[in-house]
């Protein structure tokens, strides 16, 4: 990795305050790697290094930084530095930054922006949070259907510097409604006197300005595009979303789901940029909930104290029994949550999922139960104990308990995401620890109920 190779030289030049040599080194380093290097520096040193970058490069570096570090630098920037950085950011990047700023800095940043940029940003900020409207950029190239390729290419060259991408050119009518999109190569290989209408097939895919940003991720994945147009309720073209922005959203959504599945609230910033106090706050709530769940597990076991006092060896298998159900439930929950997130399945498919998971739960539970039965018999054989009625019945209890609990765990893990989704909650909160806690309490009841049923003769 390039950043690891230049890091020692980078640090040495900073310590020596050899800014001329450092400027030459940074000239050949990608913005993403420079951002990674700056994150580890103190704010005042990072600002000095930032001044060594070209204006356009500085904006790209700033766009790659975690929001926490960006806010820290803004507080140290001169007015001219702030103007240069904001002026070279794309509108969607400006919006993303302003969303993270505290109130006292927001107006200060807005005041440094060009009037036309302020107008664009205020418009984008008017869309709901996490909507495609916040993600799009109004910097695109559009042409009219009656134009010739020659006129269109002249228009493209004129606005090439302000457009975020030229790979896709959009065709609009007199009312600015989107009627088609064309790949730039279609124009390049066509004769100059060919009209745009002759190249059109009036087939295109577009995002709605109020769509959730997750919809953009799904559309890009489905259609394998580098840019998609954004329209309003009247079909008017209002912006475009590019694949680099969608990759950032996909990463954020995946990170958020993973954190929720670990039984905690999603972090608002990168792990390295989150304070310990904020980290504790995000994790404490679910730990308390799970702690209460474990108390219920302990209280449930207490209800079978008399049974355990008569057949002590039953307690040896409690961790084996409940962990098997928890593991099965966690597997099912993870599979279903991910399938829902990728639109592989819909809420209406719950019956199909129930059938599949019931069948797979029976098969898995049967195999694990058989393994438990055989293991207990083999255990007694190794210990030199005679294989009698008591051993066989105990092995049967273990086997049936494993079968039932694995099946139940599969059911809970598969159905809980659907239930939470129906209630309007994020399915990701039906995390593995949450499912495991539910199965723990239920597993103990199932285990000891089966033990009472089959070992009643031994208790008399």
């Amino acid at each position: 990795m390039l950043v690891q190779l230049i890091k020692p030289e980078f640090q040495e030049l900073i310590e020596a305050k050899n800014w001329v040599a450092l400027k030459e080194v940074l000239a050949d380093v990608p913005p993403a790697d420079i951002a990674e290097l700056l994150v580890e520096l103190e704010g005042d040193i990072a600002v000095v290094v930032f001044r060594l970058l070209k204006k356009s490069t500085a904006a790209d570096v700033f766009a790659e930084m975690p929001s926490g570090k960006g806010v820290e630098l803004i507080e140290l920037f001169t007015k001219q530095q702030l103007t240069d950085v904001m002026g070279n950011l794309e509108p969607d990047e400006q919006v993303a930054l302003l969303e993270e700023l505290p109130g006292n800095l927001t107006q200060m940043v807005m005041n440094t922006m060009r009037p036309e940029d302020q107008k664009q940003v205020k418009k984008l900020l008017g869309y709901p949070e996490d909507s495609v409207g916040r993600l799009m950029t109004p910097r695109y190239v559009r042409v009219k259907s009656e134009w010739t390729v020659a006129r269109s290419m002249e228009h493209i060259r004129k606005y090439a510097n302000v457009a975020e991408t030229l790979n896709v050119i959009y065709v609009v009518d007199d009312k600015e409604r989107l009627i088609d999109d064309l790949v730039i190569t279609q124009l390049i290989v066509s004769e100059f006197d060919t009209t745009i209408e002759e190249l059109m097939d009036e087939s295109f895919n577009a995002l709605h300005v109020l769509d959730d940003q997750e919809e953009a991720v799904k559309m890009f994945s489905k259609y394998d595009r580098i840019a998609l147009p954004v329209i309003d309720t009247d079909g008017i073209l209002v912006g475009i979303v590019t694949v680099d922005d969608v990759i950032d959203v996909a990463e954020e959504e995946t990170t958020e789901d993973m954190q929720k599945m670990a039984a905690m609230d999603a972090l608002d910033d990168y792990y390295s940029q989150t304070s310990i106090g904020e980290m504790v706050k995000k994790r404490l709530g679910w730990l308390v909930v799970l702690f209460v769940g474990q108390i219920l597990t302990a209280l449930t076991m207490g209800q079978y104290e008399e049974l355990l006092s008569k057949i002590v060896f039953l307690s040896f298998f409690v961790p084996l029994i409940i962990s098997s159900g928890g593991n099965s439930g966690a597997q099912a929950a993870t599979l279903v949550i991910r399938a829902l997130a990728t639109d592989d399945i819909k809420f209406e498919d719950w019956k199909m999922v129930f059938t599949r998971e019931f069948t797979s739960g029976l098969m898995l539970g049967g195999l694990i139960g058989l393994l438990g039965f055989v293991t207990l018999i083999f255990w007694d054989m190794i210990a030199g104990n005679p294989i009698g009625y008591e051993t066989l019945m105990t092995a049967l209890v273990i086997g049936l308990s494993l079968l039932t609990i694995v099946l139940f765990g599969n059911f809970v893990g598969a159905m809980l995401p659907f239930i939470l989704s129906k209630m309007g909650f994020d399915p990701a909160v039906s995390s593995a620890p949450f499912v495991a806690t539910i199965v723990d309490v239920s597993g103990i009841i199932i285990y000891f109920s089966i033990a009472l049923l089959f070992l009643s003769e031994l208790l008399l």
Side-chain angles (χ1 to χ4, degrees), residues 35-36 39 61-71 269-270 272-273:
E36 188 174 336
V39 165
V61 170
F62 195 86
E64 295 287 345
M65 284 186 177
S67 58
K69 190 67 175 181
V71 172
D269 207 339
Y270 289 97
S272 59
Q273 301 296 313

Side-chain angles (χ1 to χ4, degrees), residues 184-429:
I184 187 67
T185 51
Q186 292 178 259
L187 279 71
I188 294 174
V189 301
S190 299
E191 298 294 335
F192 283 167
D193 58 352
T194 304
T195 64
I196 295 297
E197 188 173 13
E198 292 177 68
L199 302 178
M200 292 168 47
D201 60 7
E202 298 185 9
S203 174
F204 61 89
N205 300 108
L207 293 162
H208 191 278
V209 71
L210 297 179
D211 283 343
D212 191 278
Q213 291 178 5
E214 288 189 36
E215 183 63 27
V217 176
K218 295 172 184 176
M219 289 274 283
F220 272 86
S221 176
K222 181 176 181 180
Y223 297 108
D224 195 24
R225 302 297 297 270
I226 60 172
L228 279 172
V230 182
I231 58 176
D232 64 11
T233 51
D234 296 321
I236 294 173
L237 180 63
V238 292
I240 65 170
V241 173
T242 53
V243 69
D244 56 327
D245 298 318
V246 169
I247 290 174
D248 293 337
V249 172
E251 181 182 356
E252 291 173 5
E253 294 294 337
T254 302
T255 300
E256 181 179 320
D257 286 347
M258 290 180 67
Q259 289 169 350
K260 287 182 178 179
M261 290 177 69
M264 62 177 287
D265 293 332
L267 300 181
D268 298 323
D269 207 339
Y270 289 97
Y271 173 85
S272 59
Q273 301 296 313
T274 303
S275 67
I276 295 178
E278 184 69 14
M279 192 83 70
V280 170
K281 179 182 176 182
K282 294 290 185 180
R283 297 167 67 175
L284 181 61
W286 273 106
L287 283 178
V288 171
V289 172
L290 296 176
F291 175 76
V292 173
Q294 294 303 322
I295 290 178
L296 293 176
T297 303
L299 292 174
T300 303
M301 283 195 65
Q303 300 301 311
Y304 297 96
E305 181 180 359
E306 183 179 352
L307 175 61
L308 285 171
S309 66
K310 294 181 179 180
I311 308 181
V312 178
F313 62 81
L314 285 178
S315 63
F316 299 158
F317 303 102
V318 170
L320 167 70
I321 298 294
I322 61 177
S323 65
S324 295
N327 292 338
S328 173
Q331 288 178 339
T334 302
L335 289 171
V336 171
I337 289 170
R338 190 56 188 162
L340 284 170
T342 58
D343 277 346
D344 180 34
I345 58 175
K346 305 288 186 182
F347 176 80
E348 295 75 19
D349 297 324
W350 72 268
K351 292 182 180 179
M352 177 270 289
V353 174
F354 175 84
T355 302
R356 288 173 61 90
E357 291 304 318
F358 184 83
T359 304
S360 61
L362 276 176
M363 295 173 66
L364 291 169
L367 292 170
I368 297 297
L370 180 61
L371 181 61
F373 180 88
V374 172
T375 298
L376 188 58
I377 299 295
F378 188 64
W379 188 347
D380 270 17
M381 289 176 62
I382 293 177
N385 299 326
I387 308 301
Y389 175 76
E390 181 177 339
T391 299
L392 289 173
M393 293 304 295
T394 303
L396 179 63
V397 167
I398 299 300
L400 288 176
S401 296
L402 285 168
L403 165 62
T404 308
I405 292 171
V406 168
L407 176 60
F408 181 74
N410 240 39
F411 168 77
V412 172
M415 293 295 104
L416 195 56
F418 286 104
I419 296 172
L420 291 174
S421 181
K422 182 66 174 179
M423 295 170 64
F425 295 108
D426 189 339
V429 301

Side-chain angles (χ1 to χ4, degrees), residues 49 103 140:
V49 176
Y140 55 89

Side-chain angles (χ1 to χ4, degrees), residues 150-169:
R151 181 181 177 183
S152 298
M153 292 300 292
E154 183 181 349
H155 180 77
I156 291 169
R157 282 191 292 271
K158 181 178 179 180
Y159 292 99
N161 291 333
V162 297
E164 185 160 343
T165 178
L166 294 176
N167 295 83
V168 184
I169 306 300

